[in-house]
Amino acid sequence: AIADGAYQSMLTHCRNQSILITGESGAGKTENTKKVIGYFALVGATGKVTTKKASLEDQVVQTNPVLEAFGNAKTVRNDNSSRFGKFIRIHFNQGGKLSGADMEVYLLEKSRITFQQSNERSYHIFYNMMSGGVSDLKKKCHLSNNIKDYHFVSQGKISVESIDDKEDMQFVDEAFDILGFTKEEKYNVYKVTSVVMHLG
């Protein structure tokens, strides 16, 4: 209802609208953000069906798996806690159709990359990559089969009951394709991520 109210106000008054999603850890900020973005993608759909390339609506929605993998982690209070702040702009044309999106990221918790408490975990992407969800990824990134070989990301929990790292890795890999990354660009991202593990 809040997302729809903002959308209708934008159309009626031709002015930018803002939605602030805030709350304590575990309150549901990440989940609600996904619902808001999904709603705007739905109401702002252009209706054009393209066979060659993913629709803009799909691309906007598919930013979520990538952002969550690289920016979310298990904390003491929450298995999928956003460890960064983000300001998301969704652009619409004069007819109310989706025309693009961009994002500013701030307050990334960098310390988690090299250290975690015993009941916490680093960013999901490290464990996603070690899961075997993409068959040739570990070979291309020169990764072993044991996460304990990489001290930076194995000081705390290495698996979380509520998270299927293999499935999430497949979602991330597919999301990169939908977002228009070439195979080389995609693997370059994975390689840079694996460098952090090798450094540890």
Side-chain angles (χ1 to χ4, degrees):
I2 289 168
D4 185 63
Y7 182 73
Q8 297 305 329
S9 291
M10 177 193 72
L11 293 179
T12 305
H13 304 296
C14 298
R15 294 187 68 178
N16 294 337
Q17 303 291 310
S18 296
I19 298 173
L20 178 65
I21 300 173
T22 183
E24 62 181 42
S25 181
K29 297 180 295 295
T30 300
E31 290 305 310
N32 277 289
T33 301
K34 285 195 273 191
K35 283 179 170 50
V36 168
I37 291 171
Y39 179 77
F40 287 142
L42 186 71
V43 296
T46 56
K48 293 177 187 170
V49 179
T50 53
T51 49
K52 286 186 180 174
K53 180 173 119 161
S55 71
L56 182 59
E57 297 83 42
D58 287 340
Q59 290 183 319
V60 170
V61 171
Q62 286 300 321
T63 58
N64 271 316
V66 175
L67 289 170
E68 285 195 13
F70 284 88
N72 291 18
K74 176 189 165 35
T75 63
V76 177
R77 298 181 65 186
N78 186 351
D79 287 354
N80 188 34
S81 182
S82 298
R83 299 286 85 205
F84 66 107
K86 54 188 177 285
F87 179 69
I88 304 168
R89 281 187 208 89
I90 299 178
H91 307 278
F92 298 89
N93 64 22
Q94 287 180 319
K97 298 300 181 190
L98 204 63
S99 62
D102 68 277
M103 185 176 303
E104 288 176 32
V105 173
Y106 55 93
L107 299 174
L108 177 68
E109 187 185 40
K110 295 177 185 173
S111 60
R112 184 172 294 271
I113 294 169
T114 58
F115 175 76
Q116 309 88 47
Q117 294 178 40
S118 59
N119 51 357
E120 294 193 334
R121 197 167 87 146
S122 188
Y123 294 101
H124 297 323
I125 189 63
F126 298 118
Y127 313 95
N128 294 169
M129 286 176 57
M130 292 297 288
S131 70
V134 175
S135 58
D136 61 344
L137 192 146
K138 283 196 273 190
K139 186 179 178 186
K140 286 192 173 177
C141 294
H142 303 285
L143 293 169
S144 73
N145 288 319
N146 187 359
I147 191 112
K148 293 282 189 186
D149 291 338
Y150 309 103
H151 178 68
F152 279 175
V153 296
S154 62
Q155 295 161 73
K157 290 228 175 234
I158 54 173
S159 64
V160 180
E161 210 173 286
S162 65
I163 294 172
D164 184 336
D165 287 311
K166 189 170 186 175
E167 185 181 56
D168 284 356
M169 186 66 238
Q170 291 164 349
F171 288 147
V172 170
D173 198 63
E174 185 184 3
F176 274 129
D177 293 336
I178 292 168
L179 289 166
F181 281 65
T182 65
K183 191 168 184 180
E184 185 183 8
E185 287 169 339
K186 183 170 69 172
Y187 274 91
N188 283 344
V189 172
Y190 298 147
K191 285 173 183 175
V192 169
T193 306
S194 71
V195 165
V196 174
M197 298 170 73
H198 287 298
L199 286 170

